[in-house]
Amino acid sequence: MSSGGFASQNGAGGSYTNGPSQNPVGVYPSNQSFMAPPLPGYMNSLPTKGPPPAGPSCYSGNRHQPSPVGTPGALPASPSHRMGPPQASATPPPPSSYSQHPQQPSSWSGVTPAPAGNHVSPAPYASGTSTPPVFQNTMQPPAALQHAPPALNVMAPHQPYGPPPAFGPPAAMRGTPPPPVPPPTAVPPPPLAPHSEAGLYLAQPAQMNRPTGSSYPSLQPAYHSPPAPAPQQQQHYPQPSVSAAQLSPSLAAMSLQSQPPEALRVVNLLQERSLLPAGAVTPPAPCLPQDLQKLNCSPEVFRCTLTSIPQTQSLLNKAKLPLGLLLHPFKDLSQLPVVTSSNIVRCRSCRTYINPFVSFVDARRWKCNLCHRVNDVPEEFMYNPVSRSYGAPHKRPEVQNATIEFIAPSEYMLRPPQPAVYLFVLDVSHNAVETGYLDVVCQSLLDNLDSLPGDTRTKIGFITFDSTIHFYNLQEGLSQPQMLIVSDIDDVFLPTPDSLLVNLNECRELVQDLLASLPQMFSRTMETQSGLGPALQAAFKLLSPTGGRMSVFQTQLPTVGIGALKPREEPNQRAPAKDVQNLSPATDFYKKLALDCSGHHVAVDLFLLSAQYCDLSSLGCISRYSAGSVYFYPSYHKQHNPSQTERFQKDLKRYLTRKIGFEAVMRIRCTKGLSMHTFHGNFFVRSTDLLSLANVNPDAGFAVQMSIEENLLDLQVVSFQAALLYTSSKGERRIRVHTLCLPVVNSLSDIFAGADVQAITALLASMAVDRSVTASLGDARDALINAAIDTLASYRSSVLSVQQPGLLAPACLRLFPLYILALLKHKAFRTSAGTRLDERVFAMCQLKCQPLAYLMLMVHPSLYRVDNLSDEGALNVSDRTIPQPRALQLSVEKLNRDAAFLMDCGTVMYLWIGRNCNPVFLTQVLGVDSYAAVPLNMNQLPELDTAESSRIRALIDWLRERRPFHPVLHIIRDESPLKADFMQNMIEDLSESALSYYEFLLHLQQQICK
């Protein structure tokens, strides 16, 4: 196996460069070039040391100087595959239909704020280019590089904000609405299925609400916080009814100077204390004409770290900000336009799907917004299924929706769509039976058997294992299930290949009998060995002919057969240390098997339930490279740890019933001049821009790093398109397409004004995980700190026109140092004692594959005071009143012994009760008479018929509904054993392994002033 671990991108390194040969889509040549990423340029190599005392003398002429770094390995050369067939020639319009398809409505899909896989090593660097601006090696460069000239300053001088300049028509958007073409008299328009208009999209404002600041007490009296402007409300835009050809031609010479100045308002971080907005942090809105912005993809699905793209790589390097995309491509959507057509319109050159940002040259031709080729409009596309009119292709749903789904015709299939196939692989060793997890799994399956996604072809099967492998014959006609035992785990075979995976509808009674008897079948077992590797091999043989989903439940370290592992965590390794060992896999068996699974459209989901070390860094490879998921429940026990049992039950129900896509691939395209070089998430990289996803689920997030290969001097906008081709559980081949459009700018101030602080933080987190595995945890922590230093130093030296004392940041990046400190204190990167190795590795997996909306709560939890909730400013959701308390700083100084506080950490919630909390709150919310009567291990709020109880339960339920996993609630007081976990999330306070927030700011200031 490649020693890179995370750095070897899902099969793109070592002996797995080309990966599996199976490809469920057509292969087409691409005119897009994917050149090597740019040269390394600027990593800060200063050691992270304790903060110096603040003083005005630090702002001298000597500013922070970055140092060049080494270069990563080479990107494997792979052919560029394209999804779908060549575009057919224009034919008379066959029947087509358009419908507004309600995907499973999900109340948690509205989260705006929150991507385990590995990244491709970039190709050798070409001359004249430069590396992405963060996470390069901090080793000393060769002498030839130590005096390299700085990047060319192409920053335009910063001008004060004023009215927008007069714009001329951009080259890429000069099309006009094509004139109506009368329909041919011989062929009337085809009839259509019923349809409805598309739903609403949100255009987020570019600024974030900020409360009135308050000074640090220790600062000089002269430093005061200016009052904050009044918060602005989000604007809701209806789905537009205009086409790209009708859009305002105001993109020429566009600059963000027309944007409100809030994004670039100078914030002295050492003065202003209250930086958190009252509610959620909203993503910045791209500075586009309103017509374009209303058409743009939702930031919940498609998000860029920079909403203003630099014209050149040198300008990007100067900004010291990472450029990348964050995707949530299969997200549950309440409304999704679905189009059925025999001819899906795509660019003949780059195979881009027609989208709202193309331009129509005339009534019969359209210009691609990625490669700029002019294409013919097929005859069928002249008919609009929404208005039932002819001659207005710019009003088709494909050109009116940035997110759309196509029912793919037969040309998009290399084989008939596979059925939904589910195989459950269960650990039944003595340790597994003791945890009691088997009862929970079997009962959950019995309860949700009818809710498994699928149709009449759905298949199901079961394998159990300890030191041997047990198969179950569920063939129709049997009076009861038959257990078949294979004891030779060194040469695994299938005893009856045709009756181990059975049709669920035909054999439902046998399946139910097996699930009812399985927990008792092994209740007295004394077998302590675990042969996970051979069991996975057997499961792969069973699923490989069809593909499907393998759900593996494991409770201990594999001890026998191929893939057996030895303990690598010693108790003394939990002591504080700058570097943590054994973050990379101990064997390549699980990666090799995962690549085989990916090639046969099999994804492996791993549920790890254990109180002991299981080497997740090795076992996790089986899911990482097969596009599966990892679930981890440390210290799981049905009786002794009821909160984990509750979480497992809720997660399992969601897992069994959520939608699923089989035999999927995803391709990400971008405007010519941009290129992708590193991916993050769970997948296998089949080519430079094609990800193989054996299964895709609505809870998976992905990220990709970008670079600018060619100058974008002639462009006013660039576009990104993600196309996900998959087979639904009903056997339909579908293509979900998301398109994002962003402006191109030529000044550093515009780049900083469009910076998305949460997206930047999430991308840096994924990059830091890779650095932890390929280099060391200490290198990753230093790189995170250097990212903050580089960015703030660049802003200070290149954007600010008037130098001021203090640590200065633009308002849009005012939370950046806080988020970096939160990452340093996150379980994935902290160096404090007591962090178990498996828990650290799981935290890293979460950072790599969670969508942004859910990830940010895990990085920076939310803290609310809840003993004084009221209906003022509350939301009304489905006839419920949801209180909206203000988010507080994560500091002990915000706690009050007379109050109660709720902390939302994403996967867990804490309700902290102050010692002198109001007895009325205790009685009406907790149902106890006094503070001493609050149980030490309380996990649920009683349903009391009081207004206070209704408010707090409504708030907690609403927070839970906004995410796909179930956060457990812990009600704690000072004597509770979980109080230490609660206090560890107080990010702004000093901890045993990291500075306080104020000390961290002083440290950044010291490094910038050097």
Side-chain angles (χ1 to χ4, degrees):
M1 174 184 174
S2 168
S3 63
F6 279 94
S8 174
Q9 175 162 355
N10 296 10
S15 59
Y16 317 110
T17 299
N18 296 324
S21 59
Q22 287 75 8
N23 189 341
V25 296
V27 178
Y28 299 94
S30 166
N31 73 329
Q32 296 183 356
S33 62
F34 291 88
M35 299 175 64
L39 270 178
Y42 71 85
M43 191 74 235
N44 184 321
S45 60
L46 296 170
T48 55
K49 298 182 180 179
S57 61
C58 66
Y59 290 100
S60 61
N62 298 327
R63 58 178 293 273
H64 158 75
Q65 293 293 336
S67 62
V69 295
T71 61
L75 178 74
S78 301
S80 179
H81 303 281
R82 293 287 166 193
M83 288 194 287
Q87 191 162 307
S89 59
T91 56
S96 65
S97 66
Y98 166 75
S99 64
Q100 190 75 15
H101 178 68
Q103 294 291 319
Q104 309 162 10
S106 173
S107 57
W108 51 264
S109 65
V111 186
T112 307
N118 309 347
H119 71 273
V120 168
S121 299
Y125 295 115
S127 175
T129 57
S130 54
T131 54
V134 287
F135 291 110
Q136 305 301 333
N137 264 327
T138 55
M139 65 181 69
Q140 287 298 322
L145 291 179
Q146 289 185 1
H147 304 288
L152 179 64
N153 185 352
V154 294
M155 181 192 70
H158 178 65
Q159 300 294 334
Y161 285 96
F167 295 140
M173 292 286 176
R174 286 180 186 155
T176 57
V181 178
T185 55
V187 183
L192 278 185
H195 68 276
S196 62
E197 289 296 323
L200 296 180
Y201 282 86
L202 271 178
Q204 304 291 353
Q207 63 217 45
M208 295 177 279
N209 300 334
R210 184 183 65 86
T212 302
S214 58
S215 304
Y216 283 97
S218 59
L219 290 177
Q220 295 89 335
Y223 287 161
H224 294 291
S225 302
Q232 296 190 5
Q233 300 297 322
Q234 291 183 346
Q235 299 178 7
H236 294 260
Y237 294 109
Q239 194 69 8
S241 59
V242 295
S243 72
Q246 295 173 305
L247 296 176
S248 168
S250 58
L251 289 173
M254 179 173 54
S255 169
L256 294 185
Q257 306 302 335
S258 59
Q259 204 179 26
E262 170 64 16
L264 284 178
R265 178 177 58 84
V266 180
V267 178
N268 188 339
L269 299 177
L270 290 172
Q271 280 188 341
E272 296 195 39
R273 184 72 189 277
S274 299
L275 298 175
L276 288 175
V281 177
T282 56
C287 187
L288 294 168
Q290 186 176 1
D291 293 338
L292 270 182
Q293 182 54 36
K294 289 192 293 186
L295 288 168
N296 226 347
C297 193
S298 166
E300 296 177 2
V301 174
F302 213 157
R303 204 153 155 181
C304 187
T305 56
L306 304 178
T307 56
S308 300
I309 305 300
Q311 278 189 345
T312 65
Q313 181 68 37
S314 62
L315 189 59
L316 175 62
N317 290 345
K318 193 168 185 180
K320 303 294 193 291
L321 289 168
L323 177 60
L325 301 172
L326 278 74
L327 295 89
H328 192 177
F330 205 52
K331 175 180 171 62
D332 282 321
L333 300 173
S334 58
Q335 294 293 325
L336 177 67
V338 178
V339 173
T340 301
S341 177
S342 61
N343 185 10
I344 297 177
V345 180
R346 301 175 67 181
C347 176
R348 288 183 176 273
S349 177
C350 67
R351 307 302 295 155
T352 294
Y353 294 82
I354 196 167
N355 61 80
F357 309 107
V358 304
S359 55
F360 285 87
V361 179
D362 53 40
R364 296 287 182 177
R365 294 182 300 166
W366 62 278
K367 187 175 182 179
C368 177
N369 55 319
L370 266 65
C371 72
H372 315 301
R373 170 175 175 148
V374 176
N375 298 268
D376 294 332
V377 176
E379 186 70 25
E380 176 192 354
F381 204 76
M382 300 298 295
Y383 180 75
N384 184 0
V386 177
S387 62
R388 303 196 178 190
S389 60
Y390 189 86
H394 60 288
K395 293 185 178 180
R396 290 266 308 191
E398 297 95 319
V399 192
Q400 291 295 308
N401 296 278
T403 291
I404 195 165
E405 187 151 285
F406 299 95
I407 307 294
S410 58
E411 299 93 87
Y412 287 78
M413 311 172 194
L414 289 183
R415 65 173 189 173
Q418 72 165 72
V421 182
Y422 305 108
L423 178 62
F424 297 90
V425 183
L426 305 164
D427 180 3
V428 292
S429 63
H430 176 74
N431 184 72
V433 174
E434 278 294 302
T435 65
Y437 95 92
L438 206 54
D439 302 84
V440 176
V441 172
C442 292
Q443 189 58 50
S444 295
L445 271 170
L446 283 171
D447 295 342
N448 297 288
L449 211 53
D450 294 332
S451 301
L452 288 176
D455 54 15
T456 55
R457 303 183 303 156
T458 301
K459 292 186 175 183
I460 194 170
F462 298 88
I463 293 177
T464 57
F465 67 95
D466 41 34
S467 61
T468 59
I469 303 173
H470 322 126
F471 299 91
Y472 297 89
N473 185 349
L474 301 171
Q475 191 170 18
E476 188 179 12
L478 293 175
S479 59
Q480 61 182 15
Q482 290 182 346
M483 178 193 287
L484 307 169
I485 301 177
V486 174
S487 56
D488 186 3
I489 59 175
D490 295 326
D491 186 16
V492 178
F493 65 94
L494 302 179
T496 56
D498 298 332
S499 59
L500 302 179
L501 275 177
V502 296
N503 185 287
L504 178 58
N505 288 341
E506 296 173 357
C507 306
R508 182 179 300 271
E509 290 186 2
L510 283 174
V511 171
Q512 291 173 334
D513 290 347
L514 176 62
L515 291 173
S517 60
L518 205 53
Q520 288 74 37
M521 209 178 294
F522 298 95
S523 60
R524 298 182 180 276
T525 183
M526 299 305 293
E527 181 58 68
T528 59
Q529 301 294 329
S530 173
L532 175 63
L536 291 174
Q537 287 181 322
F540 168 67
K541 289 185 177 183
L542 192 53
L543 283 177
S544 58
T546 59
R549 184 177 75 186
M550 187 191 310
S551 306
V552 180
F553 298 82
Q554 175 74 3
T555 65
Q556 63 176 326
L557 198 70
T559 54
V560 294
I562 191 168
L565 299 169
K566 295 180 180 179
R568 295 193 292 166
E569 182 187 47
E570 299 296 332
N572 58 5
Q573 289 181 342
R574 297 186 191 176
K578 189 169 180 65
D579 291 327
V580 176
Q581 305 300 318
N582 301 321
L583 292 175
S584 56
T587 173
D588 63 355
F589 165 76
Y590 295 99
K591 178 180 178 179
K592 286 181 176 179
L593 184 57
L595 297 182
D596 291 339
C597 288
S598 178
H600 290 81
H601 315 298
V602 176
V604 184
D605 296 323
L606 177 64
F607 291 80
L608 201 56
L609 312 99
S610 175
Q612 51 190 302
Y613 173 69
C614 288
D615 199 351
L616 184 55
S617 56
S618 298
L619 298 184
C621 293
I622 192 67
S623 298
R624 186 178 311 141
Y625 297 100
S626 67
S629 303
V630 176
Y631 298 83
F632 182 49
Y633 304 90
S635 305
Y636 180 88
H637 196 281
K638 186 179 179 182
Q639 274 78 37
H640 301 160
N641 198 341
S643 63
Q644 285 282 38
T645 302
E646 177 195 0
R647 179 178 154 228
F648 179 49
Q649 287 173 325
K650 301 284 187 178
D651 287 353
L652 194 56
K653 180 178 180 180
R654 163 73 181 170
Y655 172 78
L656 295 173
T657 58
R658 71 187 179 188
K659 68 182 179 186
I660 184 173
F662 296 98
E663 48 187 352
V665 289
M666 181 170 68
R667 188 183 296 279
I668 306 172
R669 298 178 173 88
C670 53
T671 296
K672 185 178 180 182
L674 298 170
S675 68
M676 292 159 286
H677 60 82
T678 304
F679 293 88
H680 302 277
N682 286 2
F683 47 75
F684 169 70
V685 179
R686 187 173 293 169
S687 69
T688 51
D689 63 347
L690 185 69
L691 306 183
S692 176
L693 308 170
N695 290 175
V696 61
N697 69 77
D699 306 331
F702 304 89
V704 56
Q705 292 170 238
M706 311 281 295
S707 61
I708 303 172
E709 280 189 342
E710 303 173 14
N711 293 345
L712 309 173
L713 302 178
D714 297 330
L715 300 178
Q716 284 80 47
V717 294
V718 292
S719 296
F720 308 91
Q721 187 176 87
L724 177 68
L725 174 66
Y726 70 97
T727 299
S728 73
S729 58
K730 304 293 185 185
E732 288 181 318
R733 200 73 173 139
R734 292 184 168 224
I735 309 166
R736 185 172 297 189
V737 180
H738 308 285
T739 310
L740 175 68
C741 180
L742 297 175
V744 177
V745 298
N746 61 2
S747 75
L748 277 177
S749 59
D750 291 348
I751 296 173
F752 275 96
D756 186 335
V757 65
Q758 290 195 332
I760 290 171
T761 302
L763 185 62
L764 291 179
S766 290
M767 297 162 69
V769 170
D770 291 341
R771 175 65 71 88
S772 299
V773 177
T774 58
S776 69
L777 187 67
D779 279 359
R781 289 172 56 86
D782 290 345
L784 284 170
I785 298 171
N786 291 334
I789 293 171
D790 287 337
T791 299
L792 296 182
S794 173
Y795 171 74
R796 182 179 185 87
S797 64
S798 303
V799 178
L800 289 180
S801 56
V802 179
Q803 296 299 319
Q804 308 170 31
L807 183 61
L808 307 178
C812 59
L813 289 176
R814 66 188 188 274
L815 297 177
F816 190 38
L818 179 61
Y819 287 158
I820 292 296
L821 181 63
L823 283 176
L824 295 174
K825 296 188 177 184
H826 189 266
K827 192 172 289 186
F829 303 116
R830 68 189 183 201
T831 56
S832 59
T835 303
R836 294 177 55 192
L837 185 56
D838 281 344
E839 293 181 8
R840 184 185 300 276
V841 172
F842 179 67
M844 291 181 171
C845 293
Q846 294 286 85
L847 291 178
K848 293 272 285 184
C849 66
Q850 280 291 341
L852 180 62
Y854 319 134
L855 174 67
M856 286 311 299
L857 277 176
M858 302 177 188
V859 173
H860 186 274
S862 296
L863 181 67
Y864 311 101
R865 180 170 177 171
V866 294
D867 63 301
N868 57 356
L869 294 177
S870 68
D871 293 340
E872 182 180 353
L875 293 178
N876 290 314
V877 180
S878 303
D879 298 327
R880 294 182 301 162
T881 301
I882 313 296
Q884 296 294 295
R886 182 182 185 81
L888 304 174
Q889 295 166 240
L890 293 172
S891 174
V892 173
E893 72 177 61
K894 293 298 179 182
L895 299 182
N896 187 335
R897 288 178 177 266
D898 300 330
F901 295 85
L902 177 69
M903 180 184 285
D904 182 3
C905 304
T907 56
V908 63
M909 293 181 180
Y910 299 99
L911 179 58
W912 182 80
I913 310 298
R915 184 176 295 276
N916 301 324
C917 186
N918 190 335
V920 175
F921 177 83
L922 298 178
T923 303
Q924 298 192 358
V925 173
L926 301 181
V928 296
D929 297 331
S930 65
Y931 172 84
V934 178
L936 288 179
N937 293 308
M938 190 174 181
N939 299 114
Q940 298 207 358
L941 289 176
E943 294 188 18
L944 304 178
D945 189 18
T946 63
E948 289 79 1
S949 175
S950 298
R951 286 193 189 102
I952 192 170
R953 284 187 290 107
L955 173 62
I956 291 173
D957 290 344
W958 178 71
L959 291 172
R960 281 174 165 168
E961 289 165 0
R962 301 175 69 194
R963 66 203 69 170
F965 41 82
H966 181 78
V968 174
L969 175 67
H970 296 288
I971 295 127
I972 60 173
R973 52 193 180 102
D974 284 344
E975 297 80 10
S976 298
L978 290 174
K979 185 190 175 184
D981 294 340
F982 173 76
M983 290 300 178
Q984 203 160 31
N985 290 303
M986 293 298 179
I987 290 166
E988 299 196 20
D989 295 335
L990 181 68
S991 68
E992 59 179 311
S993 64
L995 304 175
S996 70
Y997 177 54
Y998 185 59
E999 291 172 332
F1000 183 64
L1001 293 179
L1002 292 174
H1003 177 60
L1004 296 182
Q1005 183 189 41
Q1006 176 202 26
Q1007 298 300 315
I1008 291 172
C1009 295
K1010 281 188 175 180

